[in-house]
Amino acid sequence: MNATLSLGRTIGLRSPLLYGHFIEHFHRQIYGGVYMPGHPLSDGQGFRTDVVEAMRHIHVPVLRWPGGCFVSAYHWKYAVGPERTPMFDKAWRVEDPNTFGTDEYIALCRKVSCAPYICTNAGTGTPEEMSDWVEYCNLPNQGMFAAQRIRNGFPQPYGVPYWSIGNENYGFWELGAKDAQEWGRLVVESAKLMKHVDPTIQLSAAALADLDWNVNLLKHCGRYIDWISIHRYWNLMPEKNDFATYEETMAYTNDLDTEIRKVRGLLMAMGLEKSIKIAYDEWNLRGWHHPNVHTIRQGVDVDAYLTPRDLNDRNQDYTMADAVFSACFLNTLNRNCDIVGMANFAPIVNTRGCIFTHEKGIVLRSTYHVFDLYVNYLGDEVLESWTERGKEMAVLDKNGRQAAVQELDVLATRHRDSGMLAIAAVNKHPEQARSLQLPEVPNGVRYRAVTVQGNSTESYNDIGREEVTLRAGDWKPFHAGLTVLLPPHSVQVIQIQ
Ligand code: AHR
């Protein structure tokens, strides 16, 4: 037997927003992704019904939009109403038809039954433009912007609960980037105006695990904001589409909670840990590939900066490495559910997302099945858990350095309503199965394993090819001291009733 699982006290109830998602006006996420008016698979409002159905199946709880870098030069007013004027998207250097705007986004959220989360333009935008957006969405009928929404055919306010002030305005790559001092001032003034329009909204502000930036932000704005937004991509590939192998990816699992620990410590040091939660509102193992735009040297020939974006859409690149890593990160988020209240997989459709669209349908990539497993089979109460004698395996990271990685990543949860125990067990080992002795469960009578797995670490899904699947095993009799086998490179939820 390789490990024995023990359980401790309840850590907390994880927010359903931990399984959130993000969609940006980039490449084929919106146009050619979820929004394809006139396509045979689209409904009367232009949304791909197969994509909406797949989003509903994993109960997307919140969808962050419209960016990402895109938003830092975006003006929402050009994308509402009967006349839509195409804009030149200065972030990604393409023309955006503006046919997908706030009203279409809200319609999508209603179809998916998810909460809207709007990220505002703190690059070239102003606090007034942000608060006008809140007027348009959330005021019943006062003022010119609510009146405009009503004229556009939407009499009821949208009640958008989550708003972010800016994206990554700390980064040199962001249009309208700010220094820490400017940022603190801008966030305060934006927060005041937005909350004067609707005091019930929850506000996030772009941050990072950098001490100076966050201290200044929180010193200025601690009492105005409800969330602090952090982002992380581990396998960064903006210029070179250079995928980390399975083994290199496992090395990244030693570095899953770095940002959370830093921000948690800062919030506690400033006495804000009870009033501000972390929104990890962009995360993905794979950074997006978009060469020659995040630098001053912009590509001139489309083959230098536009065509390469198609490389994000190669399904063969999204393997069990993505599934195993994502499960380990979701375990980390659950373990920190007392301070992390939201997380958004970036993105959900196409690019590095879990749903890929093509002319005749969709492909559910390996990461989609991990969300299916966690959302539909794991519990909502997070328990402390540990495994004695956890084995380690030696791997080489992306820089060729040796790393020792725990083979198993185990998270214990309970379904609050039924009391059923549900244990997420990840076996990172590429070839070998591992056994796990389950804890004593008084009155436990039966158990089953629900597994996401492919034949090899390189398994992936594509058009007409389904190698990575989610399989629910049969219920079997449970007894004390039971040991289960965790297949290699697999993610399982073991339910004990
Ligand atoms: O690579 C995509 C970008 O990553 C998003 O637009 C931005 O928010 C992050 O830097």
Side-chain angles (χ1 to χ4, degrees), residues 133-186:
W133 207 351
V134 181
E135 286 191 44
Y136 182 85
C137 291
N138 289 9
L139 285 186
N141 51 25
Q142 302 93 320
M144 66 175 78
F145 299 108
Q148 188 182 3
R149 185 197 70 243
I150 294 165
R151 277 200 310 279
N152 290 340
F154 307 98
Q156 297 309 318
Y158 292 145
V160 177
Y162 306 109
W163 295 80
S164 170
I165 298 170
N167 182 55
E168 299 175 347
N169 302 85
Y170 46 76
F172 69 89
W173 58 84
E174 197 78 8
L175 299 179
K178 304 283 184 296
D179 68 27
Q181 291 298 333
E182 290 169 312
W183 186 239
R185 295 290 315 125
L186 177 68

Short mmCIF file of all heavy atoms in Angstrom, two decimals, residues 133-186:
data_model
loop_
_atom_site.label_atom_id
_atom_site.label_comp_id
_atom_site.label_asym_id
_atom_site.label_seq_id
_atom_site.Cartn_x
_atom_site.Cartn_y
_atom_site.Cartn_z
N TRP A 133 -21.06 52.23 -17.12
CA TRP A 133 -21.35 50.82 -17.46
C TRP A 133 -22.22 50.18 -16.38
O TRP A 133 -23.17 49.45 -16.65
CB TRP A 133 -20.03 50.06 -17.62
CG TRP A 133 -20.07 48.87 -18.54
CD1 TRP A 133 -21.18 48.29 -19.12
CD2 TRP A 133 -18.95 48.11 -18.99
NE1 TRP A 133 -20.81 47.21 -19.89
CE2 TRP A 133 -19.43 47.07 -19.85
CE3 TRP A 133 -17.57 48.20 -18.78
CZ2 TRP A 133 -18.60 46.15 -20.47
CZ3 TRP A 133 -16.73 47.26 -19.41
CH2 TRP A 133 -17.25 46.26 -20.24
N VAL A 134 -21.91 50.53 -15.12
CA VAL A 134 -22.73 50.03 -14.01
C VAL A 134 -24.14 50.60 -14.11
O VAL A 134 -25.14 49.90 -13.91
CB VAL A 134 -22.09 50.37 -12.64
CG1 VAL A 134 -22.94 49.82 -11.50
CG2 VAL A 134 -20.67 49.82 -12.55
N GLU A 135 -24.25 51.88 -14.48
CA GLU A 135 -25.58 52.48 -14.69
C GLU A 135 -26.35 51.70 -15.75
O GLU A 135 -27.50 51.30 -15.54
CB GLU A 135 -25.44 53.94 -15.16
CG GLU A 135 -25.02 54.93 -14.12
CD GLU A 135 -25.17 56.36 -14.62
OE1 GLU A 135 -26.21 56.67 -15.24
OE2 GLU A 135 -24.24 57.16 -14.43
N TYR A 136 -25.68 51.45 -16.88
CA TYR A 136 -26.35 50.76 -18.00
C TYR A 136 -26.86 49.38 -17.57
O TYR A 136 -27.99 48.99 -17.90
CB TYR A 136 -25.38 50.60 -19.19
CG TYR A 136 -26.01 49.94 -20.40
CD1 TYR A 136 -26.73 50.70 -21.33
CD2 TYR A 136 -25.91 48.56 -20.61
CE1 TYR A 136 -27.31 50.10 -22.44
CE2 TYR A 136 -26.50 47.96 -21.72
CZ TYR A 136 -27.20 48.73 -22.63
OH TYR A 136 -27.80 48.13 -23.72
N CYS A 137 -26.05 48.70 -16.77
CA CYS A 137 -26.41 47.31 -16.41
C CYS A 137 -27.34 47.24 -15.20
O CYS A 137 -28.26 46.42 -15.18
CB CYS A 137 -25.13 46.53 -16.08
SG CYS A 137 -24.09 46.20 -17.49
N ASN A 138 -27.11 48.10 -14.22
CA ASN A 138 -27.77 47.82 -12.93
C ASN A 138 -28.82 48.81 -12.45
O ASN A 138 -29.56 48.51 -11.52
CB ASN A 138 -26.70 47.68 -11.83
CG ASN A 138 -25.89 46.40 -11.99
OD1 ASN A 138 -26.02 45.69 -13.01
ND2 ASN A 138 -25.03 46.07 -11.02
N LEU A 139 -28.88 50.01 -13.04
CA LEU A 139 -29.93 50.95 -12.60
C LEU A 139 -31.26 50.56 -13.25
O LEU A 139 -31.31 50.30 -14.45
CB LEU A 139 -29.56 52.39 -12.96
CG LEU A 139 -28.48 53.03 -12.08
CD1 LEU A 139 -28.31 54.51 -12.46
CD2 LEU A 139 -28.80 52.91 -10.59
N PRO A 140 -32.33 50.52 -12.50
CA PRO A 140 -33.62 50.13 -13.08
C PRO A 140 -34.03 51.06 -14.24
O PRO A 140 -34.25 50.61 -15.35
CB PRO A 140 -34.59 50.24 -11.90
CG PRO A 140 -33.74 50.12 -10.68
CD PRO A 140 -32.40 50.69 -11.04
N ASN A 141 -34.08 52.37 -13.96
CA ASN A 141 -34.50 53.27 -15.05
C ASN A 141 -34.03 54.70 -14.85
O ASN A 141 -34.46 55.60 -15.55
CB ASN A 141 -36.04 53.27 -15.18
CG ASN A 141 -36.70 53.54 -13.82
OD1 ASN A 141 -36.06 54.16 -12.94
ND2 ASN A 141 -37.90 53.04 -13.62
N GLN A 142 -33.13 54.93 -13.90
CA GLN A 142 -32.70 56.32 -13.69
C GLN A 142 -31.53 56.65 -14.61
O GLN A 142 -30.65 55.82 -14.81
CB GLN A 142 -32.23 56.53 -12.24
CG GLN A 142 -33.27 56.21 -11.20
CD GLN A 142 -33.16 54.77 -10.70
OE1 GLN A 142 -32.91 53.84 -11.49
NE2 GLN A 142 -33.32 54.57 -9.42
N GLY A 143 -31.56 57.83 -15.15
CA GLY A 143 -30.40 58.32 -15.91
C GLY A 143 -30.35 57.82 -17.33
O GLY A 143 -31.07 56.89 -17.72
N MET A 144 -29.43 58.40 -18.09
CA MET A 144 -29.44 58.19 -19.54
C MET A 144 -29.00 56.76 -19.93
O MET A 144 -29.45 56.22 -20.93
CB MET A 144 -28.52 59.21 -20.22
CG MET A 144 -27.05 59.04 -19.88
SD MET A 144 -26.05 60.19 -20.83
CE MET A 144 -26.33 61.70 -19.88
N PHE A 145 -28.14 56.13 -19.15
CA PHE A 145 -27.64 54.82 -19.59
C PHE A 145 -28.65 53.70 -19.32
O PHE A 145 -28.83 52.79 -20.13
CB PHE A 145 -26.27 54.55 -18.96
CG PHE A 145 -25.26 55.58 -19.36
CD1 PHE A 145 -24.81 56.53 -18.46
CD2 PHE A 145 -24.83 55.65 -20.68
CE1 PHE A 145 -23.91 57.52 -18.86
CE2 PHE A 145 -23.94 56.63 -21.09
CZ PHE A 145 -23.49 57.57 -20.18
N ALA A 146 -29.35 53.80 -18.18
CA ALA A 146 -30.43 52.82 -17.96
C ALA A 146 -31.51 53.04 -19.02
O ALA A 146 -32.05 52.08 -19.59
CB ALA A 146 -30.99 53.00 -16.55
N ALA A 147 -31.79 54.30 -19.33
CA ALA A 147 -32.79 54.61 -20.37
C ALA A 147 -32.34 54.02 -21.70
O ALA A 147 -33.15 53.49 -22.48
CB ALA A 147 -32.96 56.12 -20.48
N GLN A 148 -31.03 54.07 -21.95
CA GLN A 148 -30.52 53.52 -23.21
C GLN A 148 -30.74 52.00 -23.24
O GLN A 148 -31.16 51.44 -24.24
CB GLN A 148 -29.02 53.83 -23.33
CG GLN A 148 -28.43 53.48 -24.67
CD GLN A 148 -26.92 53.75 -24.71
OE1 GLN A 148 -26.31 54.16 -23.72
NE2 GLN A 148 -26.32 53.53 -25.86
N ARG A 149 -30.48 51.32 -22.08
CA ARG A 149 -30.69 49.88 -22.05
C ARG A 149 -32.16 49.55 -22.33
O ARG A 149 -32.46 48.63 -23.11
CB ARG A 149 -30.31 49.32 -20.66
CG ARG A 149 -30.40 47.82 -20.56
CD ARG A 149 -30.41 47.33 -19.12
NE ARG A 149 -31.66 47.66 -18.43
CZ ARG A 149 -31.75 48.45 -17.38
NH1 ARG A 149 -30.66 49.02 -16.89
NH2 ARG A 149 -32.93 48.71 -16.82
N ILE A 150 -33.04 50.33 -21.74
CA ILE A 150 -34.47 50.11 -21.95
C ILE A 150 -34.82 50.34 -23.42
O ILE A 150 -35.51 49.52 -24.04
CB ILE A 150 -35.29 51.04 -21.03
CG1 ILE A 150 -35.05 50.63 -19.56
CG2 ILE A 150 -36.77 51.03 -21.37
CD1 ILE A 150 -35.50 51.66 -18.53
N ARG A 151 -34.28 51.40 -24.02
CA ARG A 151 -34.54 51.65 -25.46
C ARG A 151 -34.00 50.50 -26.31
O ARG A 151 -34.58 50.14 -27.32
CB ARG A 151 -33.86 52.95 -25.91
CG ARG A 151 -34.62 54.23 -25.64
CD ARG A 151 -34.13 55.38 -26.53
NE ARG A 151 -32.68 55.52 -26.49
CZ ARG A 151 -32.02 56.15 -25.53
NH1 ARG A 151 -32.67 56.63 -24.48
NH2 ARG A 151 -30.70 56.28 -25.56
N ASN A 152 -32.93 49.88 -25.84
CA ASN A 152 -32.34 48.77 -26.61
C ASN A 152 -33.14 47.48 -26.47
O ASN A 152 -32.76 46.45 -27.02
CB ASN A 152 -30.89 48.53 -26.16
CG ASN A 152 -29.98 49.67 -26.59
OD1 ASN A 152 -30.33 50.41 -27.51
ND2 ASN A 152 -28.86 49.82 -25.93
N GLY A 153 -34.22 47.57 -25.65
CA GLY A 153 -35.11 46.42 -25.55
C GLY A 153 -34.93 45.59 -24.29
O GLY A 153 -35.42 44.45 -24.22
N PHE A 154 -34.24 46.16 -23.29
CA PHE A 154 -34.00 45.37 -22.06
C PHE A 154 -34.50 46.17 -20.86
O PHE A 154 -33.72 46.87 -20.21
CB PHE A 154 -32.51 45.03 -21.95
CG PHE A 154 -31.99 44.37 -23.20
CD1 PHE A 154 -31.30 45.11 -24.16
CD2 PHE A 154 -32.25 43.04 -23.45
CE1 PHE A 154 -30.86 44.52 -25.33
CE2 PHE A 154 -31.81 42.43 -24.62
CZ PHE A 154 -31.10 43.18 -25.58
N PRO A 155 -35.79 46.10 -20.59
CA PRO A 155 -36.39 46.95 -19.53
C PRO A 155 -35.87 46.62 -18.13
O PRO A 155 -35.76 47.50 -17.29
CB PRO A 155 -37.88 46.68 -19.65
CG PRO A 155 -38.03 45.43 -20.45
CD PRO A 155 -36.80 45.31 -21.30
N GLN A 156 -35.54 45.36 -17.90
CA GLN A 156 -35.12 44.98 -16.55
C GLN A 156 -33.61 45.19 -16.37
O GLN A 156 -32.83 44.82 -17.27
CB GLN A 156 -35.45 43.50 -16.28
CG GLN A 156 -36.95 43.21 -16.31
CD GLN A 156 -37.74 44.18 -15.43
OE1 GLN A 156 -37.33 44.52 -14.30
NE2 GLN A 156 -38.85 44.69 -15.97
N PRO A 157 -33.20 45.71 -15.23
CA PRO A 157 -31.75 45.83 -14.98
C PRO A 157 -31.12 44.44 -14.91
O PRO A 157 -31.78 43.46 -14.59
CB PRO A 157 -31.68 46.55 -13.62
CG PRO A 157 -33.01 46.35 -12.99
CD PRO A 157 -34.01 46.21 -14.10
N TYR A 158 -29.84 44.38 -15.21
CA TYR A 158 -29.15 43.09 -15.31
C TYR A 158 -28.64 42.60 -13.95
O TYR A 158 -28.36 41.43 -13.76
CB TYR A 158 -27.97 43.19 -16.27
CG TYR A 158 -28.33 43.40 -17.72
CD1 TYR A 158 -27.56 44.19 -18.56
CD2 TYR A 158 -29.48 42.82 -18.27
CE1 TYR A 158 -27.88 44.39 -19.89
CE2 TYR A 158 -29.83 43.01 -19.60
CZ TYR A 158 -29.01 43.80 -20.40
OH TYR A 158 -29.32 43.98 -21.73
N GLY A 159 -28.47 43.51 -13.03
CA GLY A 159 -27.98 43.11 -11.70
C GLY A 159 -26.63 42.42 -11.74
O GLY A 159 -26.42 41.38 -11.11
N VAL A 160 -25.69 42.97 -12.51
CA VAL A 160 -24.35 42.36 -12.58
C VAL A 160 -23.67 42.49 -11.22
O VAL A 160 -23.42 43.59 -10.75
CB VAL A 160 -23.50 43.05 -13.67
CG1 VAL A 160 -22.08 42.47 -13.69
CG2 VAL A 160 -24.17 42.88 -15.03
N PRO A 161 -23.37 41.35 -10.57
CA PRO A 161 -22.86 41.43 -9.20
C PRO A 161 -21.36 41.68 -9.07
O PRO A 161 -20.90 42.32 -8.16
CB PRO A 161 -23.21 40.05 -8.63
CG PRO A 161 -23.22 39.13 -9.82
CD PRO A 161 -23.61 39.95 -11.00
N TYR A 162 -20.59 41.17 -10.05
CA TYR A 162 -19.13 41.22 -9.94
C TYR A 162 -18.54 42.14 -11.00
O TYR A 162 -18.87 42.02 -12.19
CB TYR A 162 -18.54 39.81 -10.08
CG TYR A 162 -19.13 38.81 -9.11
CD1 TYR A 162 -19.98 37.79 -9.56
CD2 TYR A 162 -18.89 38.90 -7.74
CE1 TYR A 162 -20.56 36.90 -8.66
CE2 TYR A 162 -19.45 38.01 -6.84
CZ TYR A 162 -20.30 37.02 -7.30
OH TYR A 162 -20.87 36.14 -6.42
N TRP A 163 -17.66 43.03 -10.53
CA TRP A 163 -17.00 43.98 -11.44
C TRP A 163 -15.53 44.05 -11.06
O TRP A 163 -15.18 44.05 -9.87
CB TRP A 163 -17.61 45.38 -11.29
CG TRP A 163 -19.04 45.49 -11.72
CD1 TRP A 163 -20.13 45.13 -11.00
CD2 TRP A 163 -19.52 45.97 -12.98
NE1 TRP A 163 -21.29 45.35 -11.72
CE2 TRP A 163 -20.93 45.89 -12.95
CE3 TRP A 163 -18.90 46.49 -14.13
CZ2 TRP A 163 -21.74 46.28 -14.02
CZ3 TRP A 163 -19.70 46.89 -15.20
CH2 TRP A 163 -21.10 46.78 -15.13
N SER A 164 -14.68 44.10 -12.09
CA SER A 164 -13.25 44.26 -11.81
C SER A 164 -12.80 45.62 -12.34
O SER A 164 -13.21 46.02 -13.44
CB SER A 164 -12.47 43.16 -12.52
OG SER A 164 -11.08 43.44 -12.45
N ILE A 165 -12.02 46.32 -11.54
CA ILE A 165 -11.43 47.58 -12.02
C ILE A 165 -10.11 47.20 -12.68
O ILE A 165 -9.13 46.87 -12.00
CB ILE A 165 -11.20 48.56 -10.86
CG1 ILE A 165 -12.55 48.92 -10.21
CG2 ILE A 165 -10.47 49.82 -11.33
CD1 ILE A 165 -12.43 49.68 -8.91
N GLY A 166 -10.14 47.15 -14.00
CA GLY A 166 -8.91 46.89 -14.73
C GLY A 166 -8.55 45.43 -14.84
O GLY A 166 -9.13 44.58 -14.17
N ASN A 167 -7.54 45.20 -15.67
CA ASN A 167 -7.04 43.84 -15.87
C ASN A 167 -5.64 43.79 -15.24
O ASN A 167 -5.53 43.89 -14.05
CB ASN A 167 -7.02 43.52 -17.38
CG ASN A 167 -6.54 42.12 -17.63
OD1 ASN A 167 -7.10 41.17 -17.09
ND2 ASN A 167 -5.50 42.00 -18.42
N GLU A 168 -4.60 43.71 -15.99
CA GLU A 168 -3.24 43.61 -15.45
C GLU A 168 -2.50 44.93 -15.65
O GLU A 168 -1.46 45.00 -16.27
CB GLU A 168 -2.50 42.46 -16.13
CG GLU A 168 -3.18 41.13 -15.91
CD GLU A 168 -2.53 40.00 -16.67
OE1 GLU A 168 -1.71 40.28 -17.57
OE2 GLU A 168 -2.87 38.84 -16.41
N ASN A 169 -3.07 45.99 -15.09
CA ASN A 169 -2.54 47.32 -15.37
C ASN A 169 -1.16 47.54 -14.78
O ASN A 169 -0.55 48.57 -14.99
CB ASN A 169 -3.53 48.38 -14.86
CG ASN A 169 -4.88 48.20 -15.52
OD1 ASN A 169 -5.69 47.39 -15.05
ND2 ASN A 169 -5.14 48.86 -16.63
N TYR A 170 -0.68 46.54 -14.04
CA TYR A 170 0.67 46.63 -13.48
C TYR A 170 1.73 46.24 -14.52
O TYR A 170 2.90 46.44 -14.33
CB TYR A 170 0.81 45.71 -12.27
CG TYR A 170 0.25 44.33 -12.50
CD1 TYR A 170 0.94 43.38 -13.26
CD2 TYR A 170 -1.01 43.97 -11.99
CE1 TYR A 170 0.41 42.12 -13.49
CE2 TYR A 170 -1.54 42.70 -12.23
CZ TYR A 170 -0.83 41.79 -12.97
OH TYR A 170 -1.37 40.55 -13.21
N GLY A 171 1.26 45.60 -15.62
CA GLY A 171 2.23 45.01 -16.55
C GLY A 171 2.59 45.95 -17.69
O GLY A 171 1.72 46.58 -18.27
N PHE A 172 3.86 45.96 -18.07
CA PHE A 172 4.32 46.82 -19.17
C PHE A 172 3.53 46.53 -20.45
O PHE A 172 3.34 47.38 -21.29
CB PHE A 172 5.82 46.62 -19.42
CG PHE A 172 6.17 45.27 -19.99
CD1 PHE A 172 6.18 45.05 -21.36
CD2 PHE A 172 6.42 44.19 -19.14
CE1 PHE A 172 6.46 43.80 -21.88
CE2 PHE A 172 6.69 42.94 -19.65
CZ PHE A 172 6.71 42.73 -21.02
N TRP A 173 3.10 45.26 -20.56
CA TRP A 173 2.39 44.85 -21.80
C TRP A 173 0.97 45.41 -21.88
O TRP A 173 0.35 45.43 -22.92
CB TRP A 173 2.33 43.33 -21.87
CG TRP A 173 1.62 42.74 -20.67
CD1 TRP A 173 0.27 42.58 -20.50
CD2 TRP A 173 2.24 42.31 -19.46
NE1 TRP A 173 0.01 42.07 -19.25
CE2 TRP A 173 1.20 41.88 -18.59
CE3 TRP A 173 3.56 42.22 -19.00
CZ2 TRP A 173 1.43 41.38 -17.31
CZ3 TRP A 173 3.80 41.73 -17.73
CH2 TRP A 173 2.75 41.31 -16.90
N GLU A 174 0.42 45.83 -20.80
CA GLU A 174 -0.99 46.25 -20.75
C GLU A 174 -1.11 47.66 -21.31
O GLU A 174 -0.34 48.56 -20.94
CB GLU A 174 -1.49 46.22 -19.30
CG GLU A 174 -3.01 46.25 -19.17
CD GLU A 174 -3.66 44.88 -19.45
OE1 GLU A 174 -2.90 43.91 -19.58
OE2 GLU A 174 -4.90 44.82 -19.53
N LEU A 175 -2.07 47.91 -22.19
CA LEU A 175 -2.31 49.28 -22.67
C LEU A 175 -2.78 50.12 -21.49
O LEU A 175 -3.61 49.68 -20.70
CB LEU A 175 -3.36 49.25 -23.79
CG LEU A 175 -2.98 48.42 -25.02
CD1 LEU A 175 -4.10 48.45 -26.05
CD2 LEU A 175 -1.68 48.93 -25.64
N GLY A 176 -2.23 51.32 -21.37
CA GLY A 176 -2.64 52.17 -20.24
C GLY A 176 -2.14 51.63 -18.92
O GLY A 176 -2.81 51.73 -17.89
N ALA A 177 -0.94 51.04 -18.91
CA ALA A 177 -0.37 50.50 -17.66
C ALA A 177 -0.16 51.64 -16.65
O ALA A 177 -0.05 52.80 -17.02
CB ALA A 177 0.95 49.81 -17.96
N LYS A 178 -0.14 51.29 -15.37
CA LYS A 178 -0.04 52.31 -14.30
C LYS A 178 1.09 51.90 -13.36
O LYS A 178 1.42 50.71 -13.25
CB LYS A 178 -1.35 52.35 -13.51
CG LYS A 178 -2.61 52.59 -14.34
CD LYS A 178 -2.76 54.04 -14.73
CE LYS A 178 -4.06 54.33 -15.48
NZ LYS A 178 -4.20 53.67 -16.77
N ASP A 179 1.61 52.89 -12.62
CA ASP A 179 2.52 52.52 -11.53
C ASP A 179 1.68 52.39 -10.26
O ASP A 179 0.50 52.76 -10.25
CB ASP A 179 3.66 53.52 -11.37
CG ASP A 179 3.18 54.88 -10.89
OD1 ASP A 179 2.11 54.95 -10.20
OD2 ASP A 179 3.81 55.89 -11.21
N ALA A 180 2.29 51.90 -9.20
CA ALA A 180 1.52 51.56 -7.99
C ALA A 180 0.77 52.76 -7.45
O ALA A 180 -0.40 52.67 -7.06
CB ALA A 180 2.45 50.97 -6.94
N GLN A 181 1.44 53.95 -7.46
CA GLN A 181 0.77 55.15 -6.93
C GLN A 181 -0.46 55.50 -7.77
O GLN A 181 -1.56 55.69 -7.26
CB GLN A 181 1.74 56.36 -6.97
CG GLN A 181 2.89 56.25 -5.98
CD GLN A 181 2.40 56.19 -4.53
OE1 GLN A 181 1.33 56.72 -4.20
NE2 GLN A 181 3.17 55.54 -3.67
N GLU A 182 -0.26 55.57 -9.11
CA GLU A 182 -1.39 55.91 -10.00
C GLU A 182 -2.53 54.90 -9.79
O GLU A 182 -3.70 55.25 -9.75
CB GLU A 182 -0.94 55.83 -11.46
CG GLU A 182 0.03 56.87 -11.93
CD GLU A 182 0.60 56.51 -13.33
OE1 GLU A 182 1.03 55.34 -13.51
OE2 GLU A 182 0.62 57.40 -14.20
N TRP A 183 -2.10 53.64 -9.62
CA TRP A 183 -3.12 52.59 -9.56
C TRP A 183 -4.00 52.76 -8.33
O TRP A 183 -5.22 52.71 -8.41
CB TRP A 183 -2.45 51.21 -9.57
CG TRP A 183 -3.41 50.08 -9.65
CD1 TRP A 183 -3.57 49.07 -8.76
CD2 TRP A 183 -4.40 49.86 -10.68
NE1 TRP A 183 -4.57 48.23 -9.16
CE2 TRP A 183 -5.11 48.69 -10.34
CE3 TRP A 183 -4.75 50.54 -11.84
CZ2 TRP A 183 -6.13 48.19 -11.11
CZ3 TRP A 183 -5.78 50.04 -12.62
CH2 TRP A 183 -6.46 48.89 -12.26
N GLY A 184 -3.38 53.01 -7.22
CA GLY A 184 -4.16 53.18 -5.98
C GLY A 184 -5.18 54.29 -6.13
O GLY A 184 -6.36 54.12 -5.81
N ARG A 185 -4.74 55.42 -6.69
CA ARG A 185 -5.65 56.56 -6.85
C ARG A 185 -6.79 56.21 -7.81
O ARG A 185 -7.95 56.50 -7.55
CB ARG A 185 -4.89 57.78 -7.39
CG ARG A 185 -3.84 58.34 -6.47
CD ARG A 185 -4.44 59.02 -5.24
NE ARG A 185 -5.57 59.88 -5.55
CZ ARG A 185 -6.78 59.78 -4.98
NH1 ARG A 185 -7.01 58.84 -4.09
NH2 ARG A 185 -7.75 60.59 -5.29
N LEU A 186 -6.44 55.59 -8.93
CA LEU A 186 -7.47 55.29 -9.94
C LEU A 186 -8.51 54.32 -9.38
O LEU A 186 -9.71 54.50 -9.58
CB LEU A 186 -6.82 54.70 -11.20
CG LEU A 186 -7.81 54.29 -12.30
CD1 LEU A 186 -8.48 55.52 -12.92
CD2 LEU A 186 -7.12 53.48 -13.38
#
